Amino acid sequence: MKLSTAGESHGKCLVGIIEGLPSNLDIDIDEINYYLALRQSGYGRGGRQKIERDKVEILSGVRNLKTLASPLAFVIKNADYENWRGVMAPEGCDVSSKTLTKVRPGHADLTGMKKYAQSDARNILERASARETASRVVAGSIARQYLRALGVKISGYVKSVCGIEDNGNYTFFQIEKAKDSPLFMLDKEAESKAVKKIDSLKEAGDTAGGVIEIRINGLKSGFGSCMQYYSKLDAVLCGALMSVQAIKGVEVGLGFGCAYKEGSAVHDGIYPENGKYVRKTNNAGGIEGGMSNGEEIVLRAAMKPIPTLMKGLETIDYATGLPCTAAAERSDVCAVCAAEIVLESVAAFALADVVSKRLGGDNMQEVIKRYAGLED
Amino acid sequence: MKLSTAGESHGKCLVGIIEGLPSNLDIDIDEINYYLALRQSGYGRGGRQKIERDKVEILSGVRNLKTLASPLAFVIKNADYENWRGVMAPEGCDVSSKTLTKVRPGHADLTGMKKYAQSDARNILERASARETASRVVAGSIARQYLRALGVKISGYVKSVCGIEDNGNYTFFQIEKAKDSPLFMLDKEAESKAVKKIDSLKEAGDTAGGVIEIRINGLKSGFGSCMQYYSKLDAVLCGALMSVQAIKGVEVGLGFGCAYKEGSAVHDGIYPENGKYVRKTNNAGGIEGGMSNGEEIVLRAAMKPIPTLMKGLETIDYATGLPCTAAAERSDVCAVCAAEIVLESVAAFALADVVSKRLGGDNMQEVIKRYAGLED
Amino acid sequence: MKLSTAGESHGKCLVGIIEGLPSNLDIDIDEINYYLALRQSGYGRGGRQKIERDKVEILSGVRNLKTLASPLAFVIKNADYENWRGVMAPEGCDVSSKTLTKVRPGHADLTGMKKYAQSDARNILERASARETASRVVAGSIARQYLRALGVKISGYVKSVCGIEDNGNYTFFQIEKAKDSPLFMLDKEAESKAVKKIDSLKEAGDTAGGVIEIRINGLKSGFGSCMQYYSKLDAVLCGALMSVQAIKGVEVGLGFGCAYKEGSAVHDGIYPENGKYVRKTNNAGGIEGGMSNGEEIVLRAAMKPIPTLMKGLETIDYATGLPCTAAAERSDVCAVCAAEIVLESVAAFALADVVSKRLGGDNMQEVIKRYAGLED
Amino acid sequence: MKLSTAGESHGKCLVGIIEGLPSNLDIDIDEINYYLALRQSGYGRGGRQKIERDKVEILSGVRNLKTLASPLAFVIKNADYENWRGVMAPEGCDVSSKTLTKVRPGHADLTGMKKYAQSDARNILERASARETASRVVAGSIARQYLRALGVKISGYVKSVCGIEDNGNYTFFQIEKAKDSPLFMLDKEAESKAVKKIDSLKEAGDTAGGVIEIRINGLKSGFGSCMQYYSKLDAVLCGALMSVQAIKGVEVGLGFGCAYKEGSAVHDGIYPENGKYVRKTNNAGGIEGGMSNGEEIVLRAAMKPIPTLMKGLETIDYATGLPCTAAAERSDVCAVCAAEIVLESVAAFALADVVSKRLGGDNMQEVIKRYAGLED
């Protein structure tokens, strides 16, 4: 499976094409929209999220809610485009308004202007914007539906916000409830502290990041490969997570924690139980030798604070070369919930690709049958 | 640039083919061998490293120490093959000896046997072994030579071993000296503690991992891209690092630390200085918006402890289904130095690929000229 | 550059995403529409072409008629969708009407039904339809604009229709006029015979194919590579041409004719002329050793007759297994003009990808400068 | 499956790495060597073929004649390297002897020198040489063994040499005998004329090409896809054939002949027979809608005459810019038999890749079972 995404933040729409889906997969459009809405939710979001109420429209690849195995194209309209047509239209517009030259640290602005020979960072930021991730939520939601047909589920929660941590150990079942909370946290006390932290950061014109944990449940062993470096499941999944805007670190299972313990405290013993081989711990996070080992897959990612601060950062004006305060294009204080949904989506899509390469298959009947034929 | 690697741990040799090199790059074979030797060095290594004294032999793609732009193939002979020919030869051998069925937790053994329909984990572990990384050191060394012709250098050091940390802040120049030390650490006090820790783990039949920091110095801005998710430099580099055996976490710049601070304490302001734009901090680790920003690139990776413990882990015998102690195929206590060299190599190769895509070019004269034409 | 296309023949629209364009390329939308109109033109076309008047709409990647280097997404609406919504809508529709089970020889119908587990060939033919090529004309038109900025032009003409041949030798300048003619032929006598042939085939309920010649003018030498098999320019271009619906053969320069002559009559001697090296013949068709050699590139493709015949072909009804006459979904007699435009487009896009790999570059200024720096 | 090849014509060896093979495929090394010998055979070959007696050595990916699913690396030593070490050694050599500047028309020489900034065509021709195809014969032979495990066979014959044609219609069974003949032709009268033609060309210092037909027998329907342009089986196979040195045209089934007939004479009707659907003709050459349709796949390729003529072609000396007679590096008069073997091999490998994508699977047991589960 391949995903190509397109679309500027204030352009007409976001677009995506998914190639490589089998036929006869049932598509639940409401569920896609549910995840799109979740991506716009969470405590600490700014005004833009109220303007856009993202809804997917499928353009091709699906007939009567079943895939055709042809490329699935979709769009998410930018509701705000009507207000931006005059400065963004492909067919012709006034590029002299809405310019941005007070380049924002932490963004693509300055580097992008040099690389793409632009004098207006508008021509960079429109695409570099995290709004692009809405496309990836759509693709991820469809990947989720493909995986669920095989019994594989993906969920996650927010583990920390600006240093306020939830140190609980949760089952997949518990984690599936996290999205009912304002910050997708499970420890209510930590969450309430995090809400207050966001409030105070907002007042200060500052921003927050956090840590997000993603879990994949029900996947059989043997996905990915130990035979060539680029097909290792951990490399594929972590590479995908790192491609999400604002992510600065990723880890699997015990992750960085592995580096601080001796081997006997890290590696998960194997035990016979009712004719199967089980583990009592999951420090490996479900991946050994570059392959799923049948345990739950556990991934964590670190999100940096939103780099657009209302109080402004010190920077330069590219038009004059003089020092100034950075432009403030939007005003989220914290977007960990959005990131959580995007990370789930990105993991789902990357995994669906790995699964489809092992199973092959042209139609869902065949795919399901082949998955059933694999050893646990 | 593409790298295909091949070769089993006790097979005839390791092999690699690098495609996409320009012509007229000077190749320094001694330098490749220097990095191969470093990969075998470091305090805490076991007996295998004494058997193999890796030397590269270039088979094609180079004439009189200059690249031809044709695929560069190389081999590293396995000196120990003569002792293993009888159980490993492709042309025919006795597969009933040297079998391994007491599958080792933390390795590919158990999952690989199910996936590839094998009753002997020898058929899995021979390729899953970290010996494969010698090929990647060769490719990385050549990538390094390509990058150096552009003024780009790569180095690194060991930041911690089994929880014993070196918390110094080092310049690139300082880091380049790290390989003179037994554990590639810069803080001599921390290193001497780490050596003692390894000694005591060895006695206990246990193992250690650690954290490694890799730096890329001298790279101009604009490598990678903010325009499509899979071309982001952080995704590409971190995906590459995660493909190294035993790596369980990766981060860029402040990394997971970003999640614990407010935005104003994380983002690196931009200042005019002598007609250039500079940063006073580098929390971004040299990557913003999926592109190099002209600052030093800072990557860190967490290595898990070696999963083969002399004292053995609890596991099962795949032949009988009964509980047992895991086989102990080799006896390194700690391989952070090897990992450091491999991670540098892998980063160098991944970066060279990104650089060559932006520059294009068929011969080094052209490549160097195009790089010189880019803005800083 | 990569192109993903999507869209069913009677679905909402055709969609495409082009990745890898540099910034600051001027986009001429009228010219794209000009080629879309040409794709629908030509003597011998049926009723569908009158229903659809294809116009491209650019959704992203372009601002004020200049590329942003972000993915360029476009749609071509299917005007007829309103009449088909009830049987084609992704969101839900009645799939029991407009079914097709009298599978048409020469089409994907029968094989597609088995592969994708469908009982209605509608679910196959909607995507397999040559209507998809409209997307490729859009992408090819944009590629053409990229190439023209470097001085490279692409044109072509119809060389034969159902065995009626135009045996002239034409310059590129002459060929550029071919699209003024009803069958894109240059020899008016041959064309008038071909028109009559089409008339008589139409009366007989039969169809015609033909041979099309594509030329690429102004390309410098050295595009493609002799160093690895998959980067050979002839392999890339001919693979692309073969991916066009109904194409059954492709050749370069003298092509199959080479096989019938001795070497001294085939190979093009090289001569010094005003400080350059020139050829007096071009049997190689501008490609030697898998690279452009600086001469005009000459490609020819054979198109089979349209496989939907009004008089019907013998086949079976997949629903019953009984013999029947094949369904007649549409009624072109001859579509060589459409194919000519599509083949030009596909060649343009494939070439633009090859060119962009050699040049690299992020913005058109850089791309143009690098091309100028190459030897002829 | 992926194949990377490496190696210069007079370098140490040819090398290849095949990635993506399943485990437990039985490897027949003698059969690989049989095809390597056939590649060196055929009436009209020159002295080089007597120097090299190609034998494959497998370096990795196989243990005791069974694949491990790890990358399969192989080498073919260049027996002549000992005589060339002094001018070719990667580690250092005298590049001032064996130079070639009298660039040969029809070869990569002149273009390659400009592209790769070389003053000696030796640095180009060593890799551009058709000797590279020996690697592809090895890979193709292994692909053949993979396909045969599924009941799919590949063969071919020479259809014409320098205009002397064999116009017979042959069954696959008949074609399998062609390799017993000096020119792989089936019509003995045509072959004896062709032998004489080669004799007279040799005397004249001239060369010949020809047409080769490749057949794939026993492949089920549904390989390739009608859903995206780049996965069409005809595009994939013909692109592969065009990547072979000296091939200037390719066609499927009736090929260019399709363009000369009306639709009713071209398309293959479908008929019920014993519960299956059969064709009485195979003008489609086994591919419809970009997919195999269950009939025999028929491909033809046109080979140009060897471009190195003993009598020399008119050219220039790159060192002086003056007119001269081209260098004559080797002396085959006709290499259609070699091309026949290479084209079979290349088709086998390209097809194995297509097959493995549809089937997925990690071990041969699984692959065979999945193939058996497909509809004919």
Side-chain angles (χ1 to χ4, degrees), chain A residues 120-131:
Chain A
D120 177 6
R122 171 77 42 215
N123 291 331
I124 305 305
L125 69 91
E126 282 289 333
R127 177 61 187 165
S129 163
R131 179 143 182 75

Side-chain angles (χ1 to χ4, degrees), chain C residues 27-317:
Chain C
I27 296 297
D28 181 338
I29 294 175
D30 290 342
E31 190 186 275
I32 304 171
N33 287 328
Y34 163 77
Y35 283 108
L36 283 173
L38 279 179
R39 195 196 70 94
Q40 297 188 289
S41 74
Y43 196 78
R45 309 303 298 282
R48 175 76 192 270
Q49 304 313 321
K50 291 185 184 100
I51 296 169
E52 304 291 355
R53 288 273 161 213
D54 292 340
K55 297 278 176 201
V56 71
E57 181 184 0
I58 292 177
L59 298 181
S60 74
V62 173
R63 186 180 176 211
N64 194 33
L65 298 171
K66 275 189 191 295
T67 55
L68 291 170
S70 55
L72 190 159
F74 61 85
V75 285
I76 305 161
K77 290 213 174 109
N78 286 333
D80 208 17
Y81 179 62
E82 287 317 311
N83 301 319
W84 284 80
R85 182 188 295 271
V87 290
M88 285 298 295
E91 302 81 8
C93 63
D94 174 12
V95 296
S96 68
S97 67
K98 298 272 189 191
T99 59
L100 189 155
T101 57
K102 296 174 177 177
V103 294
R104 298 162 306 156
H107 279 286
D109 297 0
L110 175 58
T111 296
M113 289 170 86
K114 293 193 279 181
K115 179 179 175 80
Y116 296 110
Q118 302 287 6
S119 56
D120 177 6
R122 170 80 39 216
N123 291 331
I124 305 306
L125 68 92
E126 282 289 333
R127 177 62 187 165
S129 161
R131 177 140 184 77
E132 179 261 351
T133 58
S135 303
R136 294 207 260 169
V137 169
V138 173
S141 299
I142 290 168
R144 220 185 265 271
Q145 297 176 12
Y146 170 87
L147 291 169
R148 198 168 44 221
L150 308 176
V152 179
K153 293 196 289 184
I154 294 169
S155 195
Y157 70 108
V158 171
K159 240 192 122 46
S160 76
V161 173
C162 203
I164 296 158
E165 294 200 66
D166 177 341
N167 289 307
N169 285 310
Y170 302 109
T171 65
F172 191 80
F173 182 76
Q174 287 173 305
I175 286 170
E176 284 185 298
K177 312 277 182 221
K179 293 179 188 71
D180 299 338
S181 291
L183 277 170
F184 295 6
M185 292 179 88
L186 286 162
D187 175 335
K188 292 304 128 193
E189 204 177 322
E191 189 172 54
S192 116
K193 279 189 204 162
V195 163
K196 277 178 203 141
K197 180 76 181 172
I198 289 171
D199 288 343
S200 74
L201 288 168
K202 185 172 189 175
E203 206 157 324
D206 218 322
T207 59
V211 174
I212 292 134
E213 182 168 308
I214 303 295
R215 303 256 195 101
I216 301 171
N217 180 276
L219 183 67
K220 291 189 177 187
S221 72
F223 288 92
S225 167
C226 58
M227 297 300 184
Q228 190 62 297
Y229 63 92
Y230 50 71
S231 40
K232 294 191 176 174
L233 186 60
D234 31 12
V236 170
L237 290 177
C238 289
L241 297 191
M242 280 301 295
S243 79
V244 174
Q245 285 83 342
I247 300 303
K248 298 296 281 186
V250 289
E251 58 182 11
V252 181
L254 194 53
F256 275 86
C258 290
Y260 295 85
K261 293 189 173 177
E262 59 272 32
S264 58
V266 166
H267 298 293
D268 308 305
I270 305 173
Y271 305 91
E273 191 181 277
N274 304 324
K276 294 201 169 181
Y277 302 127
V278 301
R279 320 273 177 149
K280 295 176 182 166
T281 52
N282 186 19
N283 289 327
I287 305 181
E288 286 173 309
M291 299 176 286
S292 62
N293 67 5
E295 301 298 312
E296 207 162 89
I297 289 178
V298 181
L299 306 165
R300 267 182 308 281
M303 183 191 200
K304 71 181 184 184
I306 302 281
T308 306
L309 276 66
M310 291 314 287
K311 73 178 189 188
L313 292 164
E314 296 188 305
T315 190
I316 56 90
D317 188 326

Side-chain angles (χ1 to χ4, degrees), chain A residues 262-267, chain B residues 105 200-207 306-315 324-333:
Chain A
E262 58 272 35
S264 58
V266 166
H267 298 291
Chain B
S200 73
L201 287 168
K202 185 170 187 178
E203 207 158 325
D206 217 323
T207 59
I306 302 281
T308 306
L309 276 66
M310 292 314 287
K311 73 178 187 189
L313 292 164
E314 297 188 304
T315 189
C324 65
T325 298
E329 171 91 355
R330 76 174 200 179
S331 55
D332 286 352
V333 174

Side-chain angles (χ1 to χ4, degrees), chain A residues 75-253:
Chain A
V75 286
I76 306 161
K77 289 214 173 107
N78 286 333
D80 209 17
Y81 178 62
E82 288 316 312
N83 301 320
W84 283 81
R85 182 189 296 272
V87 291
M88 285 299 295
E91 302 81 7
C93 64
D94 175 11
V95 296
S96 68
S97 67
K98 298 273 189 190
T99 59
L100 189 155
T101 57
K102 294 172 177 179
V103 294
R104 298 162 307 157
H107 279 287
D109 297 0
L110 176 57
T111 296
M113 289 170 85
K114 292 192 281 181
K115 180 178 173 79
Y116 296 110
Q118 302 287 6
S119 56
D120 177 6
R122 171 77 42 215
N123 291 331
I124 305 305
L125 69 91
E126 282 289 333
R127 177 61 187 165
S129 163
R131 179 143 182 75
E132 179 261 350
T133 58
S135 303
R136 293 207 260 169
V137 170
V138 174
S141 300
I142 290 167
R144 221 184 264 271
Q145 297 176 12
Y146 169 87
L147 292 168
R148 198 167 45 223
L150 308 176
V152 180
K153 292 195 290 181
I154 294 169
S155 195
Y157 70 110
V158 171
K159 237 190 125 45
S160 76
V161 173
C162 203
I164 296 159
E165 294 199 66
D166 177 342
N167 290 308
N169 286 311
Y170 303 109
T171 64
F172 191 80
F173 182 75
Q174 288 173 303
I175 286 170
E176 284 185 299
K177 312 278 182 222
K179 294 179 188 70
D180 300 337
S181 290
L183 277 170
F184 295 7
M185 292 179 89
L186 287 162
D187 175 335
K188 293 303 131 194
E189 203 177 323
E191 189 172 54
S192 117
K193 278 189 206 162
V195 163
K196 277 178 205 140
K197 180 75 181 175
I198 288 172
D199 289 342
S200 74
L201 287 168
K202 185 172 189 177
E203 206 158 324
D206 217 324
T207 59
V211 174
I212 292 133
E213 183 168 309
I214 304 295
R215 302 257 196 100
I216 302 170
N217 180 277
L219 183 67
K220 291 190 175 186
S221 72
F223 288 91
S225 168
C226 59
M227 296 300 185
Q228 190 61 297
Y229 63 91
Y230 50 72
S231 41
K232 295 192 175 173
L233 186 60
D234 31 12
V236 170
L237 290 177
C238 289
L241 298 190
M242 280 300 296
S243 78
V244 174
Q245 285 83 342
I247 300 304
K248 298 297 280 186
V250 289
E251 57 182 12
V252 181

Side-chain angles (χ1 to χ4, degrees), chain A residues 4-65:
Chain A
S4 299
T5 74
E8 279 67 54
S9 182
H10 298 94
K12 294 178 182 177
C13 55
L14 301 170
V15 194
I17 295 181
I18 305 171
E19 295 167 79
L21 287 168
S23 65
N24 297 330
L25 173 65
D26 292 308
I27 296 297
D28 181 338
I29 293 175
D30 289 343
E31 190 187 275
I32 303 171
N33 287 328
Y34 163 77
Y35 284 109
L36 283 173
L38 280 178
R39 195 197 69 95
Q40 297 188 288
S41 74
Y43 196 79
R45 310 302 300 282
R48 176 75 192 271
Q49 305 312 322
K50 293 186 183 99
I51 297 169
E52 304 290 355
R53 288 274 161 213
D54 291 340
K55 297 278 176 202
V56 72
E57 181 184 1
I58 292 177
L59 298 181
S60 74
V62 174
R63 186 181 176 212
N64 195 33
L65 297 172

